[in-house]
Amino acid sequence: MNVLGIETSCDETSAAVVAGGKKVLSSVVFSQIPLHRPYGGVVPEIASRSHVENLPEVIRQAVEKSGAGWDGIDAIAFTYGPGLASSLLVGISAAKGLAFSLGKPLIAIDHIEAHIYSVFLGEDALLPSEISPFLCLVVSGGHTALVRVEGIGRYKLLGRTADDAAGEAFDKGANLLGLGYPGGPVIDKIAKDGDPSMISFPRGRQKKERNDMPDCDPNLCFSFSGLKTALLYYLKKHPLSKSKSELPSIAASYQEAIVEALTDRAMKALTDERYVACVGGVSLNSRLRQKMKEAVELNGVSLLLAQPAYCADNAAMVAGLAGAGGGLVGSHAFDIDADPSLELCSEKQFAGIIE
Ligand code: KG4
Ligand code: ZN
């Protein structure tokens, strides 16, 4: 089955065609980063307008590059949450219109579930059934969570962030350091020349039970807002000199605090799993990849990473998951609205499947 996937949850306009949930026939990603850079973050109004402008051409290119043609598309999949409401609506409307006019089945996909599926894209990639249950560290610009994956559509949330996501911590830290947006890639690059032990920033453990996080083990949760404040106070006390020679070590120390918190909690969450997956835009971070690799080796388990093209937001993961049997189908997909704060493990999400 060839699925055309559409992804517009944040600042990437993307469409892709994936065969059988595995083989990526085409993947087109239009990044809006240059549009948002002057504002130091994503501006929702600019994002949705840019999706409206670019999505038709992005879809056209994805279908053309796939070689399947419109006749060779068997279903249309789209992201319905979580994300920016006005951006999600652009992709949802396009997908519903296409499915309706072409008379094809429609599949509604959770963005975080699609990130988790990203490690299974590619003809040589493993199958979910081969490695489940496995542990997944989801690290993106908007989400940070530890999830036990029992199979497609079967997740248990073990821990999550109490405040900022890991990507947000990178972006806010880079902003304080005057490094621009997005912060993750630039901190990653600069930190390579720095000493990660120069400053001991807080590792942000969530110690107490919280009423708003009843399903999570406090020891497996994260908190990154204190880290950002610690950097702010450090810079007040030690203003960056003109030469900025200390910048790489400050960046490396800041990155180390995020990476150690992520790696530490992930290893603490391990029980009987043989695989640990790491997905989302932050999984591109070279230090995180290195630390996770060392940690899994120590624990005798294997690390699963998506191909770099499928780590940050993309529609191939949406089409892939739909082709592998994930998501909501039929009238559930046609009736669905944007769900900006969709929770991965909520019962609502799987209402269609349970029925
Ligand atoms: O998954 P993603 O594309 O979007 C969301 O679903 O949020 O992740 C975007 C995030 C941004 O915060 C960006 O700074 C971060 O991923 N990121 C990185 C790196 N590349 C992207 N963070 C750390 N190191 C990187 N190399
Ligand atoms: Zn994402």
Side-chain angles (χ1 to χ4, degrees):
M1 178 167 87
N2 292 338
V3 178
L4 167 67
I6 295 174
E7 158 63 44
T8 62
S9 67
C10 191
D11 60 345
E12 260 91 31
T13 313
S14 180
V17 179
V18 175
K22 292 240 129 232
K23 187 175 178 186
V24 181
L25 301 180
S26 67
S27 174
V28 180
V29 182
F30 172 81
S31 172
Q32 300 177 2
I33 284 175
L35 300 178
H36 300 289
R37 192 170 277 133
Y39 306 96
V42 179
V43 182
E45 173 85 11
I46 294 177
S48 53
R49 283 173 185 266
S50 176
H51 287 311
V52 169
E53 226 173 277
N54 295 297
L55 185 59
E57 176 59 15
V58 165
I59 292 174
R60 195 195 62 73
Q61 281 186 23
V63 174
E64 186 182 297
K65 285 183 182 169
S66 74
W70 282 107
D71 288 345
I73 302 295
D74 302 305
I76 317 276
F78 64 98
T79 304
Y80 73 102
L84 300 170
S86 53
S87 288
L88 289 163
L89 283 171
V90 179
I92 293 175
S93 308
K96 285 185 182 179
L98 279 172
F100 188 72
S101 62
L102 297 168
K104 310 273 182 192
L106 190 63
I107 306 167
I109 293 290
D110 174 324
H111 181 75
I112 301 300
E113 206 186 343
H115 269 304
I116 294 173
Y117 187 79
S118 64
V119 296
F120 301 112
L121 284 173
E123 282 179 292
D124 300 331
L126 293 161
L127 292 168
S129 56
E130 286 177 286
I131 67 156
S132 296
F134 66 96
L135 190 68
C136 188
L137 174 64
V138 181
V139 273
S140 73
H143 292 84
T144 295
L146 269 168
V147 180
R148 178 172 157 103
V149 184
E150 304 277 351
I152 288 178
R154 288 159 53 216
Y155 309 97
K156 179 165 170 32
L157 183 68
L158 303 174
R160 64 181 159 100
T161 181
D163 37 60
D164 291 347
E168 232 174 326
F170 272 106
D171 294 339
K172 288 179 177 174
N175 200 16
L176 291 173
L177 292 167
L179 295 172
Y181 174 83
V186 60
I187 288 187
D188 191 354
K189 190 162 171 247
I190 288 181
K192 287 193 166 62
D193 300 319
D195 171 11
S197 63
M198 187 177 92
I199 312 157
S200 177
F201 283 120
R203 266 52 176 163
R205 176 84 58 86
Q206 179 63 45
K207 291 195 190 74
K208 292 192 202 101
E209 300 275 351
R210 287 175 55 120
N211 292 339
D212 57 336
M213 297 164 75
D215 301 337
C216 298
D217 176 345
N219 292 313
L220 303 180
C221 287
F222 311 88
S223 169
F224 292 114
S225 64
L227 170 63
K228 172 195 64 195
T229 311
L231 175 62
L232 180 71
Y233 282 118
Y234 179 87
L235 291 173
K236 273 193 178 158
K237 236 180 164 176
H238 312 270
L240 286 174
S241 65
K242 271 212 175 87
S243 68
K244 294 194 173 169
S245 56
E246 63 276 42
L247 196 54
S249 292
I250 301 174
S253 303
Y254 186 80
Q255 172 177 266
E256 200 69 0
I258 301 173
V259 164
E260 271 194 11
L262 295 172
T263 312
D264 169 75
R265 289 332 105 77
M267 293 306 115
K268 280 203 171 76
L270 266 177
T271 50
D272 59 344
E273 301 88 357
R274 293 170 297 128
Y275 286 84
V276 180
C278 183
V279 303
V282 181
S283 70
L284 286 166
N285 184 267
S286 55
R287 184 71 176 154
L288 178 61
R289 287 178 167 234
Q290 181 195 348
K291 282 270 187 184
M292 284 292 285
K293 198 164 165 271
E294 289 167 10
V296 295
E297 271 167 21
L298 260 176
N299 283 276
V301 293
S302 304
L303 180 65
L304 266 185
L305 294 164
Q307 292 174 34
Y310 310 130
C311 288
D313 289 350
N314 66 90
M317 64 188 191
V318 174
L321 175 60
L328 301 177
V329 295
S331 61
H332 296 289
F334 272 101
D335 292 345
I336 222 157
D337 194 2
D339 194 341
S341 46
L342 179 66
E343 297 267 354
L344 180 67
C345 305
S346 71
E347 275 175 33
K348 186 172 89 186
Q349 191 196 348
F350 300 112
I353 291 172
I354 292 160
E355 242 174 43

